[in-house]
Amino acid sequence: MNKLYVGNLSPSVTVEDLKQLFGERKLPVADQVLLKSGYAFVDFPDQNSAIKAIETLSGKVELHGKVIEVDYSVPKKLRSRKIQIRNIPPHLQWEVSVCVSVCVLNTDTETAVVNVTYATKEEAKVAIEKLTGHQFDDYSFKVSYIMDTDAAPPVQAPRTRRGGRTSRDQGSSQPGPSGGYGSPRPRQHDFPLRMLVPTQFVGAIIGKEGNTIKDVTKQTQSKVDIHRKENAGAAEKPITIHSTPEGCSAACRMILDIMQKEANETKTTEDIPLKILAHNSLVGRLIGKEGRNLKKIEEETGTKITISSLQDLTIYNPERTITVKGSVDACCKAEMEIMKKLREAYENDIAAINQQANLIPGLNLNALGIFSSGLPVLPPAAGPRSAVPAVAPAGYNPFLVSILCFLWGGKAFLQQAPEQEVVYLFIPTQAVGALIGKKGQHIKQLAHFAGASIKIAPAESPDVTERMVIITGTPEAQFKAQGRIFGKLKEENFFSAKEEVKLETHIKVPSSAAGRVIGKGGKTVNELQNLTSAEVIVPRDQTPDENDEVFVKISGHFFASQTAQRKIREIIQQVKQQEQKHQQGAAVSPHHSK
């Protein structure tokens, strides 16, 4: 991983020249330098110094009259699903969507660096093609393949000698890729444990020469990142633990034990609470209806759990702090249950977002400015930074790559021209002025941006609390327009700090399809609600309108509402296709009966 290729070298360059160059640039002098004709391979002691060498030297330094090139040395057979993206603007905000895993690296560079693993080799190749040199806020992305050991061809089984014995020693189990014995575990979405620890204990957690944290990572098979550079002077520092659920829990226990031991020795405090960070879009499902989930965890673990106020959230800090008080054993039990709930919510969001991308014809997520699995918080409509998706803080590691996955736009899943759809979206009456804007400028800009018709229906009476916004456009136009409206309401604080932004939308369906939306005994609508997290109601005893259509009501946050709308449209399409086949069959039947 830390072997670099140094290319475009003059034939007169020597090993000593390279080592002198590294020294002048304050880079670790590499132990291994293999010089060939016109290029060299250099081993650096760690990834941080390798990144620094690439950033400092490649395309920037002239040696013996030639500008050298520096990049990772990765054999072709190991160039597969893993890439590294560098020179990312430090202020750029992200949130994870469809990539298999992401690792944010703590480097000495001013810009951010991430390692991304894609599901397939093809996706990684497209990412490199689209992202290399991509300009964002005067920063040009730099992308490289990094070694994907999982892509290496499997080791062939040793030949057997007569009598069935192999030519190599037998009988001993060999450790798997994770260091454990047995078959490798199935691939999972990376959902790390995020903790907050008092700054005064960070030194004890790291240990002398880093020995304590190395011991934690080794024993628990975890990757532990202590974000010491974040929030300079803050009383608490975040720690991110990447591992299996069991590995995260084991590392959490070791860190709690270390802090408790340090507290006892220094007589700092008696009990140190466990503090877990979680994205706000996941917290509601952790709490449960009327707080039932939290109460159950408290009762089963003997802990007291509190969650930071919504008022503490900002556009750049969507995480809430879950504080668990109790003994170390009790806190560890609570951690397992809390993370289990959060992981379930996260997996459901990933499934919903992936489905959303597959269901919307020609969806181009890059154009939307919405990269959130929960509340879409949109940037201001005007200004030089308006294109920056403001979702998560710069150091927020777990959910980091929606913009990377969708930066080049979504795929057009259907080739035919999508139909025009009509959606009736209900907003608070007091938000109408902000949506319209001065002299109607905002709603005009919104309609132009989305490529949709947006009209606000007249109020039925002076004291109505909600107004109906009628949106007409393609599926992608609907996604853009509705997303901007959700974001505008959040941005302008038309919902209190303690409220999640949920809006009601109505769509019309043929009366013949209403039964299919409900399903036998309400099965379909219940499954729809479980899948999307939206509330879906088909009011009974509706009188169909002149077009023989009835309303379906959908309530929920943006992605929940969008997914529900797509699924219902899918059901409508199925019903229409069946009716067309039936009509065609009826038209053909008389001909065959003669």
Side-chain angles (χ1 to χ4, degrees):
M1 178 66 190
N2 305 321
K3 176 178 280 190
L4 300 185
Y5 163 84
V6 183
N8 200 38
L9 294 179
S10 167
S12 60
V13 170
T14 65
V15 171
E16 288 68 29
D17 291 332
L18 289 173
K19 289 188 175 183
Q20 182 180 349
L21 175 63
F22 300 150
E24 290 172 353
R25 299 289 167 154
K26 298 181 179 178
L27 295 167
V29 178
D31 295 329
Q32 300 283 337
V33 177
L34 180 60
L35 182 62
K36 300 285 186 177
S37 178
Y39 63 94
F41 295 107
V42 183
D43 283 334
F44 279 88
D46 54 54
Q47 188 170 214
N48 198 351
S49 57
I51 292 171
K52 187 177 179 182
I54 295 173
E55 294 294 282
T56 305
L57 302 176
S58 188
K60 299 177 181 178
V61 172
E62 190 175 288
L63 193 61
H64 289 210
K66 299 184 75 173
V67 178
I68 66 173
E69 300 170 359
V70 184
D71 205 346
Y72 288 106
S73 172
V74 182
K76 284 188 177 180
K77 64 182 179 180
L78 298 182
R79 296 177 194 174
S80 183
R81 302 170 303 115
K82 295 186 177 182
I83 67 173
Q84 183 177 97
I85 305 163
R86 300 183 301 278
N87 205 37
I88 301 169
H91 59 267
L92 190 57
Q93 321 302 332
W94 329 74
E95 198 160 316
V96 73
S97 179
V98 299
C99 300
V100 172
S101 70
V102 182
C103 177
V104 187
L105 307 180
N106 290 323
T107 69
D108 296 331
T109 58
E110 294 180 357
T111 51
V113 180
V114 296
N115 289 349
V116 183
T117 302
Y118 286 87
T120 66
K121 180 178 181 179
E122 289 70 26
E123 288 179 6
K125 183 179 179 181
V126 171
I128 283 190
E129 291 173 352
K130 298 293 184 179
L131 290 176
T132 299
H134 182 88
Q135 294 288 331
F136 199 102
D137 275 12
D138 298 325
Y139 290 82
S140 180
F141 289 171
K142 298 176 182 177
V143 191
S144 304
Y145 276 112
I146 55 177
M147 205 167 291
D148 185 2
T149 53
D150 293 338
V155 179
Q156 294 182 352
R159 296 179 182 179
T160 56
R161 294 176 178 174
R162 292 181 182 179
R165 295 185 61 82
T166 66
S167 58
R168 297 180 182 271
D169 293 337
Q170 293 188 358
S172 61
S173 298
Q174 295 296 320
S178 63
Y181 287 84
S183 60
R185 300 186 179 190
R187 187 179 297 279
Q188 296 178 325
H189 286 293
D190 179 30
F191 186 81
L193 168 62
R194 293 262 295 163
M195 299 173 60
L196 267 184
V197 301
T199 302
Q200 68 207 61
F201 295 131
V202 168
I205 295 169
I206 295 172
K208 188 176 181 181
E209 297 181 352
N211 288 332
T212 304
I213 197 64
K214 287 178 184 176
D215 190 44
V216 172
T217 59
K218 185 177 180 180
Q219 288 192 37
T220 64
Q221 291 295 315
S222 304
K223 181 179 185 297
V224 182
D225 293 322
I226 301 174
H227 307 288
R228 288 176 289 174
K229 296 180 181 179
E230 289 187 21
N231 305 324
E236 294 174 311
K237 297 291 183 181
I239 292 179
T240 305
I241 304 170
H242 296 265
S243 186
T244 62
E246 298 80 10
C248 287
S249 295
C252 174
R253 171 176 280 277
M254 290 187 71
I255 289 171
L256 287 177
D257 285 338
I258 292 165
M259 290 195 297
Q260 193 62 60
K261 181 182 177 183
E262 181 72 9
N264 293 339
E265 291 177 355
T266 57
K267 298 180 180 180
T268 306
T269 182
E270 293 183 3
D271 293 318
I272 301 170
L274 166 63
K275 292 189 177 183
I276 299 173
L277 294 172
H279 194 285
N280 181 55
S281 65
L282 308 176
V283 170
R285 284 162 283 179
L286 167 65
I287 296 171
K289 193 173 183 180
E290 298 177 354
R292 291 173 189 167
N293 290 346
L294 271 191
K295 289 176 185 175
K296 184 179 179 183
I297 295 173
E298 286 180 325
E299 291 170 359
E300 291 180 349
T301 62
T303 56
K304 176 65 177 174
I305 303 173
T306 56
I307 297 178
S308 62
S309 170
L310 279 165
Q311 293 177 333
D312 297 335
L313 296 177
T314 67
I315 288 177
Y316 303 102
N317 178 27
E319 288 182 301
R320 296 173 72 180
T321 304
I322 304 162
T323 302
V324 185
K325 293 184 178 180
S327 66
V328 171
D329 283 342
C331 287
C332 290
K333 290 178 182 176
E335 178 272 331
M336 287 189 283
E337 296 302 317
I338 289 169
M339 289 300 291
K340 181 180 177 183
K341 289 289 183 186
L342 293 175
R343 282 189 187 95
E344 287 174 358
Y346 175 67
E347 294 287 346
N348 289 338
D349 281 357
I350 289 291
I353 294 171
N354 287 345
Q355 183 183 48
Q356 184 75 53
N358 286 305
L359 288 174
I360 296 184
L363 175 63
N364 186 333
L365 288 175
N366 178 49
L368 307 183
I370 303 169
F371 297 93
S372 173
S373 60
L375 303 177
V377 183
L378 302 181
R385 295 281 295 280
S386 62
V388 179
V391 177
Y396 188 47
N397 299 353
F399 316 119
L400 186 71
V401 290
S402 280
I403 193 168
L404 300 181
C405 299
F406 293 114
L407 197 52
W408 53 90
K411 299 176 182 177
F413 294 94
L414 297 180
Q415 297 302 316
Q416 66 269 28
E419 293 182 5
Q420 295 286 308
E421 300 174 351
V422 181
V423 172
Y424 306 87
L425 179 65
F426 291 83
I427 66 172
T429 299
Q430 65 267 31
V432 170
L435 181 59
I436 295 173
K438 189 175 181 180
K439 296 182 180 180
Q441 285 300 308
H442 184 267
I443 198 167
K444 288 178 184 176
Q445 290 173 359
L446 175 56
H448 178 73
F449 162 79
S453 166
I454 304 173
K455 298 179 180 179
I456 299 176
E460 296 180 356
S461 64
D463 57 349
V464 292
T465 58
E466 289 185 320
R467 293 284 294 276
M468 183 169 68
V469 181
I470 305 170
I471 307 169
T472 306
T474 63
E476 184 172 355
Q478 291 287 350
F479 191 84
K480 291 180 180 181
Q482 293 178 50
R484 284 287 190 181
I485 292 171
F486 270 77
K488 183 68 173 176
L489 297 184
K490 180 66 177 178
E491 179 189 317
E492 299 288 347
N493 297 315
F494 285 108
F495 284 78
S496 72
K498 294 184 178 180
E499 287 181 285
E500 186 176 16
V501 179
K502 291 184 178 180
L503 298 178
E504 182 173 307
T505 56
H506 294 183
I507 63 174
K508 287 184 176 182
V509 304
S511 59
S512 58
R516 287 283 297 275
V517 174
I518 297 170
K520 190 175 181 179
K523 181 181 179 182
T524 304
V525 76
N526 288 335
E527 289 178 348
L528 192 59
Q529 292 184 128
N530 290 335
L531 171 69
T532 65
S533 301
E535 182 182 7
V536 181
I537 299 173
V538 184
R540 297 182 180 277
D541 304 323
Q542 288 189 75
T543 302
D545 62 14
E546 66 275 11
N547 297 319
D548 196 28
E549 292 180 324
V550 295
F551 278 110
V552 175
K553 299 180 179 180
I554 303 165
S555 298
H557 61 66
F558 175 70
F559 270 110
S561 177
Q562 287 296 303
T563 309
Q565 290 178 43
R566 289 300 108 213
K567 290 299 292 181
I568 292 170
R569 300 285 186 194
E570 194 178 57
I571 293 171
I572 295 171
Q573 194 63 33
Q574 290 171 356
V575 171
K576 286 182 177 179
Q577 289 173 353
Q578 289 175 355
E579 289 177 347
Q580 287 174 357
K581 288 181 180 178
H582 179 73
Q583 290 171 358
Q584 290 171 356
V588 171
S589 294
H591 174 77
H592 288 289
S593 63
K594 291 181 181 180

